Amino acid sequence: MTRDRDPVSPPVALTIAGSDSGGGAGIQADLKAMTAHGVFGTAVVTATTAQNTRGVEDVHAVPADHVASQYDAVVEDFDVGAVKTGMLATAPIVETAAGLLARRPAPVVVDPVMVAATGDRLLSPAAEAAYEGLIERATLVTPNADEAAVLVDEPVETPADAAAAGRELVARGAGAALVKGGHLDGDAESVVDTLVIGDEEAAADPTVRRFENPRVATDATHGSGCALSSAIAARLARGEHLTDAVAGAIDGMEAVIRRGYDVGEGPGAVNPAAFDGGA
């Protein structure tokens, strides 16, 4: 006996990011977070990495023209409701992404993957400089404190610094900036994330909004930035207001970190499947 097909038609989001062979971050984490929010995830791979829970051993960037080909293939077939960018690897890829996204009306979440957990810079000076053009296209940019310091060329060590950095990023063209607070004070019992909203949004919301949540006592935060930015993009693809999308995604991160994966010989990784999706 055959059965009738009963398909679903979820919103579609796109991640433009690198692949993590260890499965904890990058494209792999992005797609898990999107699925957890009931969104169909599509992907443009910018680089492949040889990594696991202990660290990164090798990175191979994809040619920029192939990044463009992947992007064109996706948008020609899918109604993409939101885009997020992660690891972009090289200046030509950053510039290519900025040019491609300039043609799209969909919201864009830029997660500027620039600084490793060790504090090492991941991009060349040329690639860091190329982010100026991408920030201008961003509906939201989501740096951690170290990345915000690189972008604005000022130290970011306190929530007040985070607000100042967010205002600067908005002044440079971003619609809004979420400066993540996980790196601000590792000994604090709570994490303070700072959202700075541009003029268009400010009519309905405060210019600066802070989200304070208990810190989870763990070093297993690999993939947390990917999961958060992808969750925000998924919520935007579903049509949520920017502030609601940010608040909902941040609220879900406690479970994503607390219920993280204990796999491999390193600290482990976050669990994007733990998002409740907010649906």
Side-chain angles (χ1 to χ4, degrees), residues 156-179:
V156 178
E157 298 173 348
T158 67
D161 293 341
R167 289 190 182 96
E168 177 60 25
L169 291 169
V170 168
R172 295 184 186 185
L178 176 66
V179 181

Side-chain angles (χ1 to χ4, degrees), residues 168-194:
E168 177 60 25
L169 291 169
V170 168
R172 295 184 186 185
L178 176 66
V179 181
K180 297 172 291 188
H183 291 189
L184 287 180
D185 183 354
D187 295 325
E189 294 184 354
S190 61
V191 174
V192 179
D193 301 309
T194 302

